[in-house]
């Protein structure tokens, strides 16, 4: 039996979140354009549930990014009406080689992340960051 992991994020803008996280992991934003166009043409979803992102049709309220090699988990983003209010109950930990951590903090900050804390209470230094919508993640 093959099991794959998907991590789902509630968010305000699923398409920008998918683009951000695809850049973090070097994965790709999934292209759902053929499916979206077919569902609209068949009347299975209303035309207003389709938006254009990067010149392609996309679902208005969901987006995803995935690793073409199937190593990293699929990340799924769904629009929700409420904003993030408190610290995540689950967060992603990203392993980075020790000598690359500061460069990675700079790269992710340039993509829209924010450094919020550093910690060394469990050994090597970890950088606590937030994605553009405030979801916490750590570089270890």
């Amino acid at each position: 039996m093959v099991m794959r992991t998907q991590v789902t994020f509630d968010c305000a803008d699923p398409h920008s979140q998918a683009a951000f996280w695809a850049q973090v992991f070097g994965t790709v934003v999934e292209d759902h354009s053929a499916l979206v166009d077919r569902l609209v043409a068949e009347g299975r979803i209303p035309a207003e549930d389709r938006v254009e992102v990067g010149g392609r049709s996309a679902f208005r309220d969901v987006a995803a990014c995935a690793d073409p090699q199937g190593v990293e988990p699929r990340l799924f983003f769904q629009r929700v009406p409420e904003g993030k209010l408190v610290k995540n109950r689950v967060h992603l930990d990203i392993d980075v080689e020790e000598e690359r951590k500061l460069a990675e903090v700079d790269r992710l900050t340039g993509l829209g992340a924010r450094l919020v804390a550093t910690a060394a209470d469990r050994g090597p230094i970890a950088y606590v960051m937030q994605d553009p919508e405030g979801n916490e993640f750590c570089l270890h």
Side-chain angles (χ1 to χ4, degrees):
M1 180 168 121
V2 175
M3 294 180 67
R4 294 288 307 143
T5 300
Q6 173 174 290
V7 179
T8 301
F9 290 72
D10 290 349
C11 60
D13 186 345
H15 300 286
S16 67
Q17 285 291 92
F20 170 81
W21 284 101
Q23 290 178 344
V24 169
F25 287 111
T27 59
V28 297
V29 175
E30 293 180 356
D31 178 1
H32 301 137
S33 59
L35 175 60
V36 171
D37 289 341
R38 188 180 84 237
L39 292 174
V40 170
E42 293 172 354
R44 294 173 58 195
I45 66 170
E48 58 270 10
D49 284 355
R50 173 177 51 195
V51 295
E52 187 174 301
V53 177
R56 299 186 306 218
S57 293
F59 290 105
R60 182 186 64 172
D61 292 329
V62 299
C65 59
D67 180 357
Q69 284 75 44
V71 175
E72 297 294 340
R74 180 179 195 244
L75 302 181
F76 185 80
F77 305 91
Q78 59 188 6
R79 185 182 317 277
V80 296
E82 68 278 354
K84 182 178 177 297
L85 300 175
V86 297
K87 184 180 182 301
N88 299 5
R89 295 283 306 229
V90 174
H91 70 268
L92 301 181
D93 284 340
I94 302 169
D95 250 351
V96 178
E97 296 166 359
E98 192 65 37
E99 64 275 1
R100 288 190 44 240
K101 284 184 184 176
L102 286 176
E104 193 65 7
V105 168
D106 289 343
R107 183 181 80 85
L108 297 179
T109 301
L111 295 175
R114 189 168 73 98
L115 177 63
V116 294
T118 58
D121 58 330
R122 295 182 186 152
I125 193 162
Y127 296 91
V128 180
M129 302 189 75
Q130 291 180 335
D131 73 12
E133 290 201 11
N135 299 301
E136 294 87 7
F137 63 99
C138 294
L139 296 182
H140 286 272

